[in-house]
Amino acid sequence: MSTALWLLAIQGTLGAFDTLYYHEWRARLPARVPGTRPELLLHAARDFLYALLFGSLPWVAWRGAWAAVLALVVATEIVITLADFVVEDRVRQPLGGVFPGERCMHAVMAILYGAVLAHLVPEVLVWWRLPTGLEWAPVLVPEPLRLVLSLMAGGVFSSGLRDLYAALQLPGGRWPWPVEEVRVP
């Protein structure tokens, strides 16, 4: 589990860069609603799942039936990511497509997530055989790693709220970007 958490922290760092640089700065997705709404909604849903993973895995053991719930969270995240790969190609056509560096970043993150799963799945299988319950069981990793992952949980949750707010076209949702509507064909 320790290795899974270190890899998850790297994943969170890459994800934060991807969001801040490519989604916000380069593509300015919130300013391009309604054209980018489908992508922002997928990002928001995925962000909320990542917040759950970052916030719980360093601290809590998902035992028994809860292991199946955790597996469902992970499977849902994978399905959302696959849908996002398809949707962002369509949504970003008016922008000239997904940026090449962003496409490479997504590939690296997908590979890294596979490595996270390679270390997480064996732990989930052990938890599956235990009595059902969410048990406070901080993983034996340096305390700063647990704290960083907890901060990442808050950050990715906030990012999800931001994307959802923009997608719903609520007042100020495009901030700080000027209105740049791009229609999806």
mmCIF file of all heavy atoms in Angstrom, residues 100-145:
data_model
loop_
_atom_site.group_PDB
_atom_site.id
_atom_site.type_symbol
_atom_site.label_atom_id
_atom_site.label_comp_id
_atom_site.label_asym_id
_atom_site.label_seq_id
_atom_site.Cartn_x
_atom_site.Cartn_y
_atom_site.Cartn_z
ATOM 1 N N PRO A 100 -0.639 18.678 -27.851
ATOM 2 C CA PRO A 100 0.244 17.499 -27.891
ATOM 3 C C PRO A 100 0.863 17.164 -26.531
ATOM 4 O O PRO A 100 0.902 16.000 -26.135
ATOM 5 C CB PRO A 100 1.319 17.891 -28.909
ATOM 6 C CG PRO A 100 0.647 18.893 -29.794
ATOM 7 C CD PRO A 100 -0.298 19.652 -28.892
ATOM 8 N N GLY A 101 1.326 18.172 -25.810
ATOM 9 C CA GLY A 101 1.900 17.916 -24.488
ATOM 10 C C GLY A 101 0.876 17.362 -23.521
ATOM 11 O O GLY A 101 1.184 16.518 -22.678
ATOM 12 N N GLU A 102 -0.359 17.829 -23.644
ATOM 13 C CA GLU A 102 -1.442 17.333 -22.795
ATOM 14 C C GLU A 102 -1.758 15.879 -23.122
ATOM 15 O O GLU A 102 -1.982 15.072 -22.230
ATOM 16 C CB GLU A 102 -2.684 18.209 -22.984
ATOM 17 C CG GLU A 102 -3.834 17.835 -22.073
ATOM 18 C CD GLU A 102 -5.045 18.725 -22.276
ATOM 19 O OE1 GLU A 102 -5.088 19.517 -23.248
ATOM 20 O OE2 GLU A 102 -5.967 18.629 -21.448
ATOM 21 N N ARG A 103 -1.754 15.552 -24.404
ATOM 22 C CA ARG A 103 -1.999 14.165 -24.813
ATOM 23 C C ARG A 103 -0.930 13.248 -24.209
ATOM 24 O O ARG A 103 -1.228 12.188 -23.682
ATOM 25 C CB ARG A 103 -1.991 14.064 -26.343
ATOM 26 C CG ARG A 103 -2.190 12.693 -26.882
ATOM 27 C CD ARG A 103 -3.590 12.174 -26.794
ATOM 28 N NE ARG A 103 -4.455 12.911 -27.686
ATOM 29 C CZ ARG A 103 -5.764 13.041 -27.462
ATOM 30 N NH1 ARG A 103 -6.322 12.482 -26.432
ATOM 31 N NH2 ARG A 103 -6.505 13.740 -28.283
ATOM 32 N N CYS A 104 0.336 13.698 -24.262
ATOM 33 C CA CYS A 104 1.432 12.915 -23.658
ATOM 34 C C CYS A 104 1.252 12.815 -22.150
ATOM 35 O O CYS A 104 1.477 11.751 -21.560
ATOM 36 C CB CYS A 104 2.781 13.538 -24.000
ATOM 37 S SG CYS A 104 3.195 13.425 -25.749
ATOM 38 N N MET A 105 0.852 13.921 -21.512
ATOM 39 C CA MET A 105 0.614 13.915 -20.068
ATOM 40 C C MET A 105 -0.459 12.904 -19.707
ATOM 41 O O MET A 105 -0.319 12.139 -18.745
ATOM 42 C CB MET A 105 0.204 15.312 -19.606
ATOM 43 C CG MET A 105 -0.196 15.402 -18.149
ATOM 44 S SD MET A 105 1.176 15.198 -17.021
ATOM 45 C CE MET A 105 1.949 16.782 -17.197
ATOM 46 N N HIS A 106 -1.517 12.841 -20.484
ATOM 47 C CA HIS A 106 -2.594 11.888 -20.213
ATOM 48 C C HIS A 106 -2.096 10.452 -20.351
ATOM 49 O O HIS A 106 -2.492 9.584 -19.567
ATOM 50 C CB HIS A 106 -3.773 12.129 -21.152
ATOM 51 C CG HIS A 106 -4.486 13.412 -20.892
ATOM 52 N ND1 HIS A 106 -5.448 13.910 -21.735
ATOM 53 C CD2 HIS A 106 -4.378 14.328 -19.888
ATOM 54 C CE1 HIS A 106 -5.905 15.059 -21.259
ATOM 55 N NE2 HIS A 106 -5.260 15.332 -20.140
ATOM 56 N N ALA A 107 -1.241 10.196 -21.333
ATOM 57 C CA ALA A 107 -0.688 8.848 -21.498
ATOM 58 C C ALA A 107 0.174 8.462 -20.294
ATOM 59 O O ALA A 107 0.052 7.356 -19.761
ATOM 60 C CB ALA A 107 0.128 8.764 -22.789
ATOM 61 N N VAL A 108 1.017 9.378 -19.846
ATOM 62 C CA VAL A 108 1.869 9.106 -18.674
ATOM 63 C C VAL A 108 0.996 8.863 -17.443
ATOM 64 O O VAL A 108 1.242 7.941 -16.657
ATOM 65 C CB VAL A 108 2.857 10.271 -18.439
ATOM 66 C CG1 VAL A 108 3.544 10.148 -17.092
ATOM 67 C CG2 VAL A 108 3.880 10.328 -19.564
ATOM 68 N N MET A 109 -0.031 9.672 -17.274
ATOM 69 C CA MET A 109 -0.912 9.508 -16.116
ATOM 70 C C MET A 109 -1.667 8.176 -16.169
ATOM 71 O O MET A 109 -1.880 7.547 -15.128
ATOM 72 C CB MET A 109 -1.888 10.687 -16.028
ATOM 73 C CG MET A 109 -1.192 11.981 -15.651
ATOM 74 S SD MET A 109 -2.264 13.440 -15.745
ATOM 75 C CE MET A 109 -3.454 13.061 -14.479
ATOM 76 N N ALA A 110 -2.058 7.743 -17.365
ATOM 77 C CA ALA A 110 -2.744 6.451 -17.485
ATOM 78 C C ALA A 110 -1.807 5.298 -17.116
ATOM 79 O O ALA A 110 -2.201 4.367 -16.413
ATOM 80 C CB ALA A 110 -3.276 6.272 -18.905
ATOM 81 N N ILE A 111 -0.571 5.382 -17.564
ATOM 82 C CA ILE A 111 0.414 4.355 -17.204
ATOM 83 C C ILE A 111 0.652 4.359 -15.698
ATOM 84 O O ILE A 111 0.677 3.298 -15.045
ATOM 85 C CB ILE A 111 1.730 4.577 -17.977
ATOM 86 C CG1 ILE A 111 1.505 4.322 -19.473
ATOM 87 C CG2 ILE A 111 2.848 3.689 -17.432
ATOM 88 C CD1 ILE A 111 2.621 4.845 -20.362
ATOM 89 N N LEU A 112 0.800 5.535 -15.131
ATOM 90 C CA LEU A 112 1.031 5.665 -13.698
ATOM 91 C C LEU A 112 -0.158 5.123 -12.906
ATOM 92 O O LEU A 112 0.018 4.436 -11.885
ATOM 93 C CB LEU A 112 1.300 7.131 -13.343
ATOM 94 C CG LEU A 112 1.665 7.445 -11.909
ATOM 95 C CD1 LEU A 112 2.912 6.676 -11.471
ATOM 96 C CD2 LEU A 112 1.893 8.942 -11.755
ATOM 97 N N TYR A 113 -1.366 5.379 -13.367
ATOM 98 C CA TYR A 113 -2.551 4.877 -12.677
ATOM 99 C C TYR A 113 -2.578 3.347 -12.708
ATOM 100 O O TYR A 113 -2.982 2.714 -11.736
ATOM 101 C CB TYR A 113 -3.818 5.461 -13.296
ATOM 102 C CG TYR A 113 -5.038 5.300 -12.430
ATOM 103 C CD1 TYR A 113 -5.109 5.903 -11.173
ATOM 104 C CD2 TYR A 113 -6.129 4.551 -12.847
ATOM 105 C CE1 TYR A 113 -6.225 5.763 -10.375
ATOM 106 C CE2 TYR A 113 -7.254 4.413 -12.058
ATOM 107 C CZ TYR A 113 -7.293 5.010 -10.816
ATOM 108 O OH TYR A 113 -8.402 4.874 -10.024
ATOM 109 N N GLY A 114 -2.121 2.783 -13.814
ATOM 110 C CA GLY A 114 -1.992 1.329 -13.871
ATOM 111 C C GLY A 114 -1.029 0.809 -12.813
ATOM 112 O O GLY A 114 -1.282 -0.227 -12.183
ATOM 113 N N ALA A 115 0.060 1.536 -12.595
ATOM 114 C CA ALA A 115 1.017 1.141 -11.555
ATOM 115 C C ALA A 115 0.389 1.279 -10.167
ATOM 116 O O ALA A 115 0.608 0.413 -9.294
ATOM 117 C CB ALA A 115 2.287 1.987 -11.662
ATOM 118 N N VAL A 116 -0.397 2.331 -9.959
ATOM 119 C CA VAL A 116 -1.114 2.480 -8.678
ATOM 120 C C VAL A 116 -2.000 1.259 -8.462
ATOM 121 O O VAL A 116 -1.998 0.648 -7.385
ATOM 122 C CB VAL A 116 -1.952 3.780 -8.650
ATOM 123 C CG1 VAL A 116 -2.881 3.795 -7.444
ATOM 124 C CG2 VAL A 116 -1.065 5.012 -8.657
ATOM 125 N N LEU A 117 -2.754 0.898 -9.491
ATOM 126 C CA LEU A 117 -3.672 -0.245 -9.364
ATOM 127 C C LEU A 117 -2.930 -1.553 -9.130
ATOM 128 O O LEU A 117 -3.413 -2.415 -8.385
ATOM 129 C CB LEU A 117 -4.556 -0.342 -10.608
ATOM 130 C CG LEU A 117 -5.536 0.808 -10.809
ATOM 131 C CD1 LEU A 117 -6.347 0.601 -12.083
ATOM 132 C CD2 LEU A 117 -6.442 0.990 -9.602
ATOM 133 N N ALA A 118 -1.757 -1.703 -9.732
ATOM 134 C CA ALA A 118 -0.978 -2.933 -9.532
ATOM 135 C C ALA A 118 -0.604 -3.111 -8.061
ATOM 136 O O ALA A 118 -0.460 -4.243 -7.588
ATOM 137 C CB ALA A 118 0.280 -2.900 -10.399
ATOM 138 N N HIS A 119 -0.476 -2.015 -7.340
ATOM 139 C CA HIS A 119 -0.151 -2.095 -5.913
ATOM 140 C C HIS A 119 -1.387 -2.023 -5.026
ATOM 141 O O HIS A 119 -1.368 -2.522 -3.897
ATOM 142 C CB HIS A 119 0.829 -0.981 -5.539
ATOM 143 C CG HIS A 119 2.173 -1.172 -6.154
ATOM 144 N ND1 HIS A 119 3.127 -2.002 -5.612
ATOM 145 C CD2 HIS A 119 2.720 -0.679 -7.283
ATOM 146 C CE1 HIS A 119 4.205 -1.994 -6.374
ATOM 147 N NE2 HIS A 119 3.975 -1.198 -7.396
ATOM 148 N N LEU A 120 -2.455 -1.419 -5.504
ATOM 149 C CA LEU A 120 -3.677 -1.270 -4.721
ATOM 150 C C LEU A 120 -4.542 -2.535 -4.750
ATOM 151 O O LEU A 120 -5.076 -2.945 -3.713
ATOM 152 C CB LEU A 120 -4.486 -0.071 -5.226
ATOM 153 C CG LEU A 120 -5.813 0.211 -4.519
ATOM 154 C CD1 LEU A 120 -5.591 0.519 -3.044
ATOM 155 C CD2 LEU A 120 -6.535 1.370 -5.212
ATOM 156 N N VAL A 121 -4.675 -3.152 -5.907
ATOM 157 C CA VAL A 121 -5.565 -4.305 -6.049
ATOM 158 C C VAL A 121 -5.219 -5.438 -5.080
ATOM 159 O O VAL A 121 -6.135 -5.989 -4.446
ATOM 160 C CB VAL A 121 -5.612 -4.790 -7.521
ATOM 161 C CG1 VAL A 121 -6.280 -6.149 -7.642
ATOM 162 C CG2 VAL A 121 -6.339 -3.751 -8.387
ATOM 163 N N PRO A 122 -3.958 -5.821 -4.896
ATOM 164 C CA PRO A 122 -3.676 -6.877 -3.920
ATOM 165 C C PRO A 122 -4.145 -6.523 -2.505
ATOM 166 O O PRO A 122 -4.644 -7.384 -1.775
ATOM 167 C CB PRO A 122 -2.145 -7.018 -3.968
ATOM 168 C CG PRO A 122 -1.777 -6.537 -5.327
ATOM 169 C CD PRO A 122 -2.755 -5.427 -5.629
ATOM 170 N N GLU A 123 -4.024 -5.271 -2.133
ATOM 171 C CA GLU A 123 -4.493 -4.828 -0.811
ATOM 172 C C GLU A 123 -6.012 -4.919 -0.723
ATOM 173 O O GLU A 123 -6.567 -5.361 0.288
ATOM 174 C CB GLU A 123 -4.039 -3.397 -0.547
ATOM 175 C CG GLU A 123 -4.276 -2.926 0.855
ATOM 176 C CD GLU A 123 -3.375 -3.581 1.888
ATOM 177 O OE1 GLU A 123 -2.269 -4.025 1.547
ATOM 178 O OE2 GLU A 123 -3.785 -3.649 3.057
ATOM 179 N N VAL A 124 -6.701 -4.505 -1.782
ATOM 180 C CA VAL A 124 -8.166 -4.570 -1.810
ATOM 181 C C VAL A 124 -8.628 -6.030 -1.699
ATOM 182 O O VAL A 124 -9.612 -6.319 -1.010
ATOM 183 C CB VAL A 124 -8.724 -3.891 -3.077
ATOM 184 C CG1 VAL A 124 -10.227 -4.115 -3.214
ATOM 185 C CG2 VAL A 124 -8.406 -2.394 -3.053
ATOM 186 N N LEU A 125 -7.920 -6.947 -2.334
ATOM 187 C CA LEU A 125 -8.279 -8.370 -2.240
ATOM 188 C C LEU A 125 -8.113 -8.890 -0.815
ATOM 189 O O LEU A 125 -8.912 -9.711 -0.352
ATOM 190 C CB LEU A 125 -7.446 -9.186 -3.226
ATOM 191 C CG LEU A 125 -7.750 -8.921 -4.714
ATOM 192 C CD1 LEU A 125 -6.775 -9.676 -5.601
ATOM 193 C CD2 LEU A 125 -9.195 -9.257 -5.045
ATOM 194 N N VAL A 126 -7.093 -8.419 -0.112
ATOM 195 C CA VAL A 126 -6.930 -8.794 1.306
ATOM 196 C C VAL A 126 -8.082 -8.218 2.120
ATOM 197 O O VAL A 126 -8.674 -8.911 2.955
ATOM 198 C CB VAL A 126 -5.566 -8.305 1.848
ATOM 199 C CG1 VAL A 126 -5.489 -8.436 3.364
ATOM 200 C CG2 VAL A 126 -4.422 -9.063 1.188
ATOM 201 N N TRP A 127 -8.404 -6.943 1.888
ATOM 202 C CA TRP A 127 -9.497 -6.309 2.619
ATOM 203 C C TRP A 127 -10.819 -7.028 2.376
ATOM 204 O O TRP A 127 -11.650 -7.119 3.278
ATOM 205 C CB TRP A 127 -9.638 -4.842 2.217
ATOM 206 C CG TRP A 127 -8.546 -3.940 2.689
ATOM 207 C CD1 TRP A 127 -7.639 -4.187 3.685
ATOM 208 C CD2 TRP A 127 -8.252 -2.647 2.189
ATOM 209 N NE1 TRP A 127 -6.798 -3.120 3.831
ATOM 210 C CE2 TRP A 127 -7.145 -2.145 2.926
ATOM 211 C CE3 TRP A 127 -8.785 -1.844 1.197
ATOM 212 C CZ2 TRP A 127 -6.600 -0.895 2.705
ATOM 213 C CZ3 TRP A 127 -8.236 -0.599 0.971
ATOM 214 C CH2 TRP A 127 -7.150 -0.125 1.726
ATOM 215 N N TRP A 128 -11.043 -7.514 1.166
ATOM 216 C CA TRP A 128 -12.289 -8.182 0.793
ATOM 217 C C TRP A 128 -12.583 -9.360 1.717
ATOM 218 O O TRP A 128 -13.729 -9.639 2.036
ATOM 219 C CB TRP A 128 -12.207 -8.627 -0.663
ATOM 220 C CG TRP A 128 -13.354 -9.472 -1.111
ATOM 221 C CD1 TRP A 128 -13.330 -10.805 -1.386
ATOM 222 C CD2 TRP A 128 -14.708 -9.050 -1.334
ATOM 223 N NE1 TRP A 128 -14.575 -11.239 -1.763
ATOM 224 C CE2 TRP A 128 -15.439 -10.171 -1.740
ATOM 225 C CE3 TRP A 128 -15.361 -7.827 -1.225
ATOM 226 C CZ2 TRP A 128 -16.789 -10.117 -2.032
ATOM 227 C CZ3 TRP A 128 -16.710 -7.765 -1.519
ATOM 228 C CH2 TRP A 128 -17.411 -8.895 -1.916
ATOM 229 N N ARG A 129 -11.550 -10.047 2.175
ATOM 230 C CA ARG A 129 -11.727 -11.250 3.007
ATOM 231 C C ARG A 129 -11.922 -10.934 4.488
ATOM 232 O O ARG A 129 -12.144 -11.850 5.284
ATOM 233 C CB ARG A 129 -10.523 -12.163 2.837
ATOM 234 C CG ARG A 129 -10.456 -12.788 1.449
ATOM 235 C CD ARG A 129 -9.273 -13.692 1.315
ATOM 236 N NE ARG A 129 -8.097 -12.840 1.157
ATOM 237 C CZ ARG A 129 -7.285 -12.869 0.138
ATOM 238 N NH1 ARG A 129 -7.440 -13.736 -0.792
ATOM 239 N NH2 ARG A 129 -6.275 -12.047 0.042
ATOM 240 N N LEU A 130 -11.871 -9.677 4.867
ATOM 241 C CA LEU A 130 -12.006 -9.265 6.266
ATOM 242 C C LEU A 130 -13.450 -8.864 6.571
ATOM 243 O O LEU A 130 -14.239 -8.604 5.663
ATOM 244 C CB LEU A 130 -11.057 -8.104 6.553
ATOM 245 C CG LEU A 130 -9.567 -8.404 6.354
ATOM 246 C CD1 LEU A 130 -8.737 -7.133 6.506
ATOM 247 C CD2 LEU A 130 -9.103 -9.479 7.332
ATOM 248 N N PRO A 131 -13.792 -8.816 7.854
ATOM 249 C CA PRO A 131 -15.142 -8.366 8.223
ATOM 250 C C PRO A 131 -15.421 -6.957 7.682
ATOM 251 O O PRO A 131 -14.531 -6.111 7.650
ATOM 252 C CB PRO A 131 -15.115 -8.368 9.755
ATOM 253 C CG PRO A 131 -14.004 -9.298 10.126
ATOM 254 C CD PRO A 131 -12.991 -9.205 9.014
ATOM 255 N N THR A 132 -16.654 -6.740 7.274
ATOM 256 C CA THR A 132 -17.039 -5.468 6.657
ATOM 257 C C THR A 132 -16.945 -4.314 7.632
ATOM 258 O O THR A 132 -17.416 -4.399 8.762
ATOM 259 C CB THR A 132 -18.471 -5.564 6.090
ATOM 260 O OG1 THR A 132 -18.475 -6.542 5.052
ATOM 261 C CG2 THR A 132 -18.951 -4.240 5.532
ATOM 262 N N GLY A 133 -16.312 -3.250 7.145
ATOM 263 C CA GLY A 133 -16.217 -2.026 7.923
ATOM 264 C C GLY A 133 -15.160 -1.104 7.360
ATOM 265 O O GLY A 133 -14.229 -1.548 6.697
ATOM 266 N N LEU A 134 -15.329 0.164 7.624
ATOM 267 C CA LEU A 134 -14.307 1.149 7.318
ATOM 268 C C LEU A 134 -13.506 1.305 8.607
ATOM 269 O O LEU A 134 -14.051 1.731 9.624
ATOM 270 C CB LEU A 134 -14.918 2.482 6.895
ATOM 271 C CG LEU A 134 -15.670 2.473 5.569
ATOM 272 C CD1 LEU A 134 -16.386 3.805 5.353
ATOM 273 C CD2 LEU A 134 -14.729 2.197 4.422
ATOM 274 N N GLU A 135 -12.244 0.924 8.566
ATOM 275 C CA GLU A 135 -11.437 0.926 9.782
ATOM 276 C C GLU A 135 -10.335 1.974 9.706
ATOM 277 O O GLU A 135 -9.611 2.055 8.707
ATOM 278 C CB GLU A 135 -10.805 -0.447 9.988
ATOM 279 C CG GLU A 135 -9.984 -0.535 11.258
ATOM 280 C CD GLU A 135 -9.417 -1.913 11.464
ATOM 281 O OE1 GLU A 135 -10.111 -2.895 11.163
ATOM 282 O OE2 GLU A 135 -8.270 -1.996 11.925
ATOM 283 N N TRP A 136 -10.217 2.764 10.763
ATOM 284 C CA TRP A 136 -9.132 3.736 10.862
ATOM 285 C C TRP A 136 -7.843 2.945 10.957
ATOM 286 O O TRP A 136 -7.604 2.234 11.920
ATOM 287 C CB TRP A 136 -9.332 4.617 12.084
ATOM 288 C CG TRP A 136 -8.306 5.695 12.203
ATOM 289 C CD1 TRP A 136 -7.228 5.704 13.037
ATOM 290 C CD2 TRP A 136 -8.252 6.899 11.457
ATOM 291 N NE1 TRP A 136 -6.513 6.851 12.855
ATOM 292 C CE2 TRP A 136 -7.121 7.611 11.886
ATOM 293 C CE3 TRP A 136 -9.042 7.456 10.455
ATOM 294 C CZ2 TRP A 136 -6.762 8.846 11.359
ATOM 295 C CZ3 TRP A 136 -8.682 8.682 9.939
ATOM 296 C CH2 TRP A 136 -7.562 9.367 10.390
ATOM 297 N N ALA A 137 -7.025 3.025 9.907
ATOM 298 C CA ALA A 137 -5.792 2.242 9.840
ATOM 299 C C ALA A 137 -4.761 3.004 9.013
ATOM 300 O O ALA A 137 -4.499 2.642 7.856
ATOM 301 C CB ALA A 137 -6.082 0.873 9.232
ATOM 302 N N PRO A 138 -4.178 4.070 9.574
ATOM 303 C CA PRO A 138 -3.201 4.847 8.809
ATOM 304 C C PRO A 138 -2.082 3.961 8.264
ATOM 305 O O PRO A 138 -1.522 3.131 8.977
ATOM 306 C CB PRO A 138 -2.660 5.852 9.826
ATOM 307 C CG PRO A 138 -3.745 5.971 10.853
ATOM 308 C CD PRO A 138 -4.372 4.610 10.921
ATOM 309 N N VAL A 139 -1.790 4.126 6.986
ATOM 310 C CA VAL A 139 -0.759 3.334 6.316
ATOM 311 C C VAL A 139 0.603 3.763 6.855
ATOM 312 O O VAL A 139 0.832 4.942 7.133
ATOM 313 C CB VAL A 139 -0.832 3.540 4.787
ATOM 314 C CG1 VAL A 139 0.267 2.769 4.079
ATOM 315 C CG2 VAL A 139 -2.204 3.122 4.278
ATOM 316 N N LEU A 140 1.503 2.791 6.997
ATOM 317 C CA LEU A 140 2.842 3.075 7.507
ATOM 318 C C LEU A 140 3.689 3.731 6.419
ATOM 319 O O LEU A 140 4.450 3.078 5.719
ATOM 320 C CB LEU A 140 3.503 1.795 8.013
ATOM 321 C CG LEU A 140 2.833 1.166 9.233
ATOM 322 C CD1 LEU A 140 3.503 -0.154 9.582
ATOM 323 C CD2 LEU A 140 2.848 2.116 10.421
ATOM 324 N N VAL A 141 3.481 5.017 6.273
ATOM 325 C CA VAL A 141 4.259 5.860 5.361
ATOM 326 C C VAL A 141 4.623 7.111 6.143
ATOM 327 O O VAL A 141 4.026 7.394 7.188
ATOM 328 C CB VAL A 141 3.472 6.232 4.078
ATOM 329 C CG1 VAL A 141 3.176 5.004 3.227
ATOM 330 C CG2 VAL A 141 2.193 6.971 4.414
ATOM 331 N N PRO A 142 5.579 7.889 5.657
ATOM 332 C CA PRO A 142 5.899 9.139 6.365
ATOM 333 C C PRO A 142 4.661 10.020 6.517
ATOM 334 O O PRO A 142 3.855 10.150 5.587
ATOM 335 C CB PRO A 142 6.943 9.795 5.461
ATOM 336 C CG PRO A 142 7.564 8.657 4.712
ATOM 337 C CD PRO A 142 6.455 7.661 4.503
ATOM 338 N N GLU A 143 4.518 10.594 7.685
ATOM 339 C CA GLU A 143 3.376 11.458 7.968
ATOM 340 C C GLU A 143 3.184 12.554 6.913
ATOM 341 O O GLU A 143 2.053 12.820 6.505
ATOM 342 C CB GLU A 143 3.535 12.085 9.364
ATOM 343 C CG GLU A 143 2.337 12.873 9.821
ATOM 344 C CD GLU A 143 1.127 12.017 10.162
ATOM 345 O OE1 GLU A 143 1.268 10.806 10.356
ATOM 346 O OE2 GLU A 143 0.025 12.584 10.217
ATOM 347 N N PRO A 144 4.274 13.186 6.429
ATOM 348 C CA PRO A 144 4.074 14.216 5.388
ATOM 349 C C PRO A 144 3.376 13.683 4.132
ATOM 350 O O PRO A 144 2.619 14.413 3.507
ATOM 351 C CB PRO A 144 5.500 14.688 5.072
ATOM 352 C CG PRO A 144 6.267 14.429 6.330
ATOM 353 C CD PRO A 144 5.675 13.151 6.881
ATOM 354 N N LEU A 145 3.598 12.422 3.774
ATOM 355 C CA LEU A 145 2.924 11.864 2.598
ATOM 356 C C LEU A 145 1.421 11.784 2.842
ATOM 357 O O LEU A 145 0.626 12.162 1.975
ATOM 358 C CB LEU A 145 3.482 10.484 2.236
ATOM 359 C CG LEU A 145 2.781 9.766 1.081
ATOM 360 C CD1 LEU A 145 2.858 10.586 -0.208
ATOM 361 C CD2 LEU A 145 3.376 8.379 0.880
#
